[in-house]
Amino acid sequence: MHGKIMLPLATLVSLNAFIGEMNPTIDFHVFAYVDVSLKMLFGILLLRSGSITRTSMLPLDLCRG
């Protein structure tokens, strides 16, 4: 369902982690903030994409009636 947008997210988060491992002089918090920012950005993009509707997130019993 969301595979196409998850690939760039996975690539960017992995790149962030790799750079963090290779540069021990940079504070960990910098990479944590970059990680959180990337995930928030992609989360907002997923919410705005309209792929998930409110009714699809409800239990089946609530959708029927």
Side-chain angles (χ1 to χ4, degrees):
M1 177 184 264
H2 300 299
K4 291 180 181 178
I5 198 163
M6 289 295 118
L7 187 60
L9 174 62
T11 303
L12 291 172
V13 170
S14 297
L15 183 63
N16 181 46
F18 180 74
I19 293 171
E21 289 287 327
M22 294 295 118
N23 294 321
T25 58
I26 300 174
D27 189 29
F28 168 77
H29 292 96
V30 172
F31 297 103
Y33 290 132
V34 169
D35 187 71
V36 168
S37 300
L38 286 170
K39 290 176 182 174
M40 296 254 321
L41 174 69
F42 276 83
I44 291 168
L45 288 173
L46 281 172
L47 287 174
R48 292 182 55 93
S49 71
S51 297
I52 299 175
T53 61
R54 291 192 186 275
T55 56
S56 69
M57 296 178 3
L58 294 174
L60 289 177
D61 294 336
L62 294 176
C63 292
R64 292 181 188 158

